[in-house]
Amino acid sequence: MKRNSGNYLKSPDLLPISHKEKSISTTGFFFMWIGMSVLLATFAIGAAGVQSIPLGWVVTATFIGSLAIGIFITLIGDIGIEHGISFPVYMRAPFGIVGTHFPSIIRAVSASFWFGVNTYFGATAISVILTILYDYDNWFICFLVFALFQLINTALGIKWVERFAEISVPFIIIVSIWMYSTLSTQALEQGKSVWTWVESPVSGVATITAFMVVVFANMGFWATLGADIPTISRHIKAPKFERNWFKRNKGTLIGSVIALPLTGCFMIMIGAASFTAASTNNPVIALQDSTTGWMLWVLLIMVILTQWSTNISANLVPAAAIYSNTGGPKVSYAVAVFIAGIVGIVIQPWNVMDVILTALLIIGAILSSITGVLFVDYYILRKRRVNVPDLYKNDGQYSYWKGINIAGFLSWIIGGAVACLFLDYSFIIGFIVGSIAYYVLAKYWWFKKYNQKEIEDPDDEKYLGITVGRDWEIDTNGETDEKDDAVSL
């Protein structure tokens, strides 16, 4: 039975999820990804792209970037699938039981920032529509009310997040198709073809640069979720005793490498069509002059659902897990959700709209090196085996030096710094540099000082989770009971 001993490492919301507690189906996660991918901030990438290169190239770059980050997301998501643990809990391995808080809080603040950005996008569009319908113009009140409803929905738990996606996605898809069709027609009426018109065409090396900016902007956009996907994936249903990586991670894979790229590309097309037709990256604003009556209500509902579905899955759930981890047992999941909301408001996202692409690249640089560290730690050094009980112990193998893994910190700093020097290619550079730095520092220095049991003795029966049928459960005394259905394989 899971109970709370008062140990800050054992916040009830961060204890491992057992196989029977996994509640998100493959279909449910697929719909969640569609809901997450349809948001007004994504339209900004399409609008920015067609200012330099044709839409065909923008869509191609988006597909490449989305597919690449989708693969990264699925790889890291195996941590949650296999062991049922969240991002801030696993981060205790490569960063230490104390060190985990520093990169995790940066991720949480980033998620809170995006919650604020998406809520602001939605609030301004809602305000515009309400002004037309009822002559009511107050975007800040719309912002606060909109934020409150999202926070309440998320605080109710992960199953309500999945249910919201399943209900909202069909409506979102239908309205998105209508938006693209209408905006494309408006552009043609002005003598502009969405697929060939470019505001300020570039050539030569500048074309390659513009293409790669779109690729890495899309990767940077989802780099936040790429790092902490275990917080969501630990809830995704997966088969026991399945050693085939693809079959075990089917639920994450279908959503991350199919739903994300396809939906992302279509949203980019809508953003590009909006800019072509009305010189704005917000299709709601582009359509408001030509839309009246019930269609305005359709747009209003569309705005609410798109921002809502993204925020609760991609931003509030991961941020809440981290704030709960930092605050320990005294900060419940529900309280942590509202902390994320408050941080997102205090950041004042309405002041950063003009630098959103640059922000995406910088965030991608900072978080990509963390993803690199996670990848090397989990797949290359530990080979997916984790001493889960010690993740919840103050004096276990992950206590390192005063609770900090110096190798992880140095690798994160080195990778992030180098990535920021090459901002247009930030994600891939940060990932590669962070990975190499951590492999060398951890393998040949840090883990020689602090032995890791699962590396010294890579025993499947001791250190694998769902692959051998094991559910990790932490008791009040800091010891671990293994609900183990494992058999010798």
Side-chain angles (χ1 to χ4, degrees):
M1 179 179 178
K2 296 179 181 178
R3 301 184 300 276
N4 182 10
S5 66
N7 181 341
Y8 84 96
L9 296 174
K10 298 179 182 180
S11 178
D13 300 308
L14 297 176
L15 296 176
I17 297 292
S18 69
H19 182 266
K20 68 179 181 180
E21 293 173 320
K22 294 178 181 289
S23 59
I24 300 178
S25 65
T26 298
T27 302
F29 189 60
F30 184 87
F31 280 133
M32 284 174 66
W33 253 126
I34 294 177
M36 287 190 289
S37 303
V38 183
L39 70 164
L40 298 178
T42 309
F43 300 144
I45 299 177
V50 295
Q51 294 178 45
S52 302
I53 54 179
L55 180 55
W57 286 105
V58 177
V59 170
T60 302
T62 297
F63 184 82
I64 293 172
S66 298
L67 182 62
I69 195 63
I71 292 172
F72 281 118
I73 288 171
T74 306
L75 286 169
I76 302 302
D78 185 72
I79 297 171
I81 293 288
E82 179 67 32
H83 298 286
I85 55 179
S86 63
F87 165 75
V89 171
Y90 186 80
M91 288 282 280
R92 297 168 186 173
F95 287 92
I97 59 173
V98 175
T100 180
H101 296 310
F102 298 96
S104 295
I105 284 295
I106 287 180
R107 161 52 181 143
V109 171
S110 172
S112 299
F113 163 79
W114 282 115
F115 163 74
V117 168
N118 292 334
T119 301
Y120 170 71
F121 269 125
T124 52
I126 292 169
S127 180
V128 166
I129 295 173
L130 290 179
T131 299
I132 297 173
L133 290 172
Y134 303 110
D135 197 27
Y136 179 82
D137 183 12
N138 192 322
W139 70 265
F140 188 68
I141 295 297
C142 292
F143 179 91
L144 294 177
V145 173
F146 189 31
L148 180 62
F149 276 98
Q150 294 174 77
L151 295 172
I152 293 173
N153 182 190
T154 311
L156 290 173
I158 191 69
K159 193 62 184 177
W160 284 94
V161 173
E162 180 190 13
R163 287 173 180 169
F164 182 85
E166 291 175 341
I167 293 171
S168 63
V169 160
F171 178 85
I172 289 172
I173 292 174
I174 292 170
V175 178
S176 295
I177 293 172
W178 169 77
M179 291 173 73
Y180 174 74
S181 176
T182 302
L183 289 168
S184 297
T185 301
Q186 288 183 8
L188 283 174
E189 290 174 352
Q190 301 173 31
K192 301 176 182 177
S193 170
V194 170
W195 289 91
T196 59
W197 180 87
V198 181
E199 185 181 50
S200 302
V202 295
S203 59
V205 176
T207 303
I208 299 175
T209 300
F211 182 86
M212 296 309 296
V213 165
V214 176
V215 170
F216 290 113
N218 279 282
M219 295 185 74
F221 196 92
W222 296 111
T224 51
L225 195 62
D228 68 3
I229 185 62
T231 300
I232 296 177
S233 67
R234 66 183 181 140
H235 296 280
I236 298 175
K237 296 177 182 179
K240 281 187 174 183
F241 304 106
E242 180 55 73
R243 289 187 172 272
N244 183 292
W245 185 91
F246 293 95
K247 292 180 179 179
R248 191 175 59 252
N249 288 282
K250 182 182 70 172
T252 317
L253 195 66
I254 290 177
S256 300
V257 304
I258 297 178
L260 167 59
L262 294 181
T263 310
C265 286
F266 189 54
M267 295 308 107
I268 291 296
M269 289 163 54
I270 294 176
S274 177
F275 187 83
T276 304
S279 299
T280 175
N281 60 27
N282 191 329
V284 175
I285 294 175
L287 289 167
Q288 69 182 29
D289 292 334
S290 60
T291 305
T292 58
W294 67 273
M295 284 308 300
L296 279 173
W297 278 102
V298 170
L299 279 178
L300 177 62
I301 296 172
M302 171 71 173
V303 169
I304 293 172
L305 294 181
T306 54
Q307 306 309 99
W308 193 323
S309 59
T310 299
N311 268 340
I312 59 178
S313 302
N315 297 320
L316 289 177
V317 169
I322 293 169
Y323 291 132
S324 179
N325 176 59
T326 304
K330 293 182 179 180
V331 179
S332 68
Y333 170 76
V335 171
V337 168
F338 280 87
I339 291 174
I342 292 170
V343 173
I345 294 171
V346 170
I347 289 174
Q348 300 182 29
W350 45 88
N351 291 325
V352 299
M353 291 300 102
D354 293 336
V355 293
I356 193 166
L357 278 183
T358 302
L360 283 170
L361 294 172
I362 293 174
I363 290 171
I366 295 172
L367 294 176
S368 62
S369 59
I370 295 177
T371 306
V373 169
L374 284 174
F375 176 80
V376 169
D377 187 81
Y378 182 66
Y379 280 102
I380 298 179
L381 297 179
R382 304 183 197 276
K383 296 179 173 59
R384 297 182 50 252
R385 297 162 181 83
V386 184
N387 186 7
V388 172
D390 276 30
L391 291 171
Y392 296 89
K393 294 180 180 178
N394 285 304
D395 58 352
Q397 70 179 55
Y398 306 113
S399 59
Y400 301 120
W401 176 78
K402 297 183 179 180
I404 297 175
N405 182 341
I406 302 297
F409 267 87
L410 289 176
S411 304
W412 173 33
I413 293 170
I414 293 169
V418 174
C420 285
L421 294 177
F422 303 93
L423 209 54
D424 289 344
Y425 309 93
S426 59
F427 185 89
I428 195 67
I429 290 177
F431 180 88
I432 292 173
V433 174
S435 296
I436 294 173
Y438 185 70
Y439 179 80
V440 173
L441 292 173
K443 183 178 178 65
Y444 297 106
W445 171 51
W446 196 252
F447 289 163
K448 290 187 179 297
K449 294 166 63 70
Y450 300 94
N451 293 334
Q452 302 295 288
K453 294 178 181 178
E454 61 269 47
I455 295 178
E456 299 296 324
D457 177 27
D459 189 301
D460 289 1
E461 302 304 320
K462 291 181 181 178
Y463 302 116
L464 282 179
I466 198 173
T467 297
V468 295
R470 175 180 290 110
D471 288 333
W472 297 105
E473 185 172 343
I474 313 301
D475 70 14
T476 57
N477 297 316
E479 298 175 354
T480 302
D481 298 326
E482 296 174 8
K483 288 184 176 179
D484 198 350
D485 301 322
V487 296
S488 297
L489 301 175

